[in-house]
Amino acid sequence: MSTHLGRSAEEWARIIAEAYGAGTRPPLTPRLLEEMRIILAEALREAEAASSADAEWCERVNLVLDRSEMSLHAAVGPRLAGLDGAAGSVVMVHRSEAGRPLRPFGGQ
């Protein structure tokens, strides 16, 4: 199995899904987080197969998160800003408008 920064796509998908879930409002159910983890793993396996740089990994992950939120019509969560291979962690940032984090249910 190939790895990116010392971890497999599946491991990164778990780490990212957990970090996303921790910052998402309203909170997602465990089932939704598991579904997201599976979709993230698929996207990251494709990025890994293409030998993509970290920036493309972030872009692919954020597209998955965007699509998931659009399908839920209510959740708002952070986006992936970077991967820390040494620590096995991710940097997540909240999107904002006018310097304030976006809120669920569409509106500022």
Side-chain angles (χ1 to χ4, degrees):
M1 178 187 320
S2 60
T3 62
H4 181 78
L5 299 175
R7 289 180 172 61
S8 69
E10 288 76 16
E11 290 172 304
W12 281 119
R14 181 189 50 77
I15 293 166
I16 294 165
E18 288 174 2
Y20 175 77
T24 301
R25 298 296 174 257
L28 299 179
T29 65
R31 185 176 136 253
L32 286 173
L33 282 175
E34 178 60 16
E35 289 173 8
M36 180 168 290
R37 186 199 60 76
I38 291 167
I39 295 167
L40 286 169
E42 182 179 326
L44 294 176
R45 280 192 297 274
E46 291 172 5
E48 194 170 61
S51 299
S52 300
D54 287 358
E56 188 171 332
W57 276 55
C58 291
E59 188 175 314
R60 287 176 186 245
V61 165
N62 291 331
L63 284 172
V64 168
L65 299 177
D66 288 344
R67 289 180 186 139
S68 296
E69 287 182 3
M70 287 179 8
S71 71
L72 293 173
H73 302 292
V76 173
R79 293 299 181 265
L80 181 63
L83 305 164
D84 183 341
S89 63
V90 293
V91 176
M92 303 294 282
V93 295
H94 280 279
R95 298 169 297 145
S96 68
E97 259 182 41
R100 294 178 291 181
L102 296 177
R103 295 184 304 184
F105 311 108
Q108 286 290 318

